[in-house]
Amino acid sequence: MRNLRILITTALVIALSSLGVSAASAADRVATNCTSASRGQASAARAIAAPVTVWLAGDSTMANPSSGRCPVGWGSQFDALFNSDVTVKNQAVGGRSIQTWLYEGNVSGTKGSDGECRLTSTTYSSRWQAMLNSSTGMKAGDYLFIQFGINDSSSTCPRHVGPARYRQLMTMMAQAALARGAHPVLLTPVAAITCSGGTATKNRGFVNETFAAGSATRAPVVDLQTLSVSLYNSLRFCPNNGDYGGSGPLGTFFCNDHTHFDTYGAQRVAGLVAGDVRRQNLPLAAYLR
């Protein structure tokens, strides 16, 4: 009997010891997994917090204001929509087509046999050269927002740009950003306010060309023309009596030329762009306030 009790006791000790080892091993595995997960989350958090520069290339509807209350480009209001890890460098310039922005001073006043304004030199403007600079320009993880198409519709040089040339230049800019590890975002031109009775209507060209450049480079496209017209209709800007420049809902949104924005209008348009960045789930959305 005594030997039986010893055998039973020994068996119980061995069994309990095995359970203890298994439990400890399981606990170790859980702890290891939790530590790995925490490290992964920390790495992701650090990646999200990495500083990013958002470069803007465009015309007066995007540009920083030069003086007074009008015009105010939406790009000047973009920085406020992001946290402190984002720096917006607004290189938009009033009165520029995509070609005159790229080749400042080198676009002639005459057209060639192809119907495009002749280039006297293929030297890039200082602003585009600065963006391309390997040390201080676009870097991996940055963003380049490109919006033209308003001055480009001019029939005369140097502003005139044809559809094929427009698509070519926008594609080239997007590819230059990609070559540096940056992310191009293409925008259709923001609409002015024109009404057909009680409805705001689209009034800009180069929409198809912008989407074509997006397809060619797999760059996202923000259809700012459609977004802006939808906003104007939601605010019931049509019909109107042409009252711009500071009085009434229309006057607090637009300057007195029905094309450029007052500060409030620029803020609302910047919000449209940021909203579409979030809707398209672009990585940049992680930095929005």
Side-chain angles (χ1 to χ4, degrees), residues 244-261:
Y244 303 98
S247 59
L250 202 65
T252 58
F253 197 102
F254 287 99
C255 304
N256 59 8
D257 59 3
H258 75 268
T259 295
H260 296 99
F261 308 116

Side-chain angles (χ1 to χ4, degrees), residues 96-114:
R96 300 318 190 263
S97 65
I98 191 170
Q99 184 158 259
T100 56
W101 188 95
L102 281 166
Y103 299 99
E104 186 77 58
N106 295 322
V107 184
S108 74
T110 60
K111 293 180 181 179
S113 58
D114 60 355

Side-chain angles (χ1 to χ4, degrees), residues 208-282:
N208 292 337
E209 290 71 25
T210 302
F211 276 99
S215 296
T217 58
R218 297 185 179 180
V221 175
V222 174
D223 189 0
L224 189 52
Q225 178 160 201
T226 297
L227 291 171
S228 56
V229 169
S230 295
L231 176 63
Y232 304 161
N233 280 317
S234 71
L235 296 174
R236 298 185 178 181
F237 281 164
C238 295
N240 64 72
N241 61 2
D243 184 14
Y244 303 98
S247 59
L250 202 65
T252 58
F253 197 102
F254 287 99
C255 304
N256 59 8
D257 59 3
H258 75 268
T259 295
H260 296 99
F261 308 116
D262 207 330
T263 300
Y264 172 69
Q267 289 171 343
R268 292 299 302 268
V269 174
L272 292 178
V273 178
D276 209 52
V277 166
R278 181 173 277 124
R279 182 190 65 81
Q280 296 195 48
N281 199 29
L282 304 186

Side-chain angles (χ1 to χ4, degrees), residues 151-168:
N151 300 304
D152 313 64
S153 61
S154 173
S155 60
T156 59
C157 293
R159 288 183 175 185
H160 168 79
V161 180
R165 179 68 170 158
Y166 186 91
R167 182 173 64 252
Q168 174 195 359

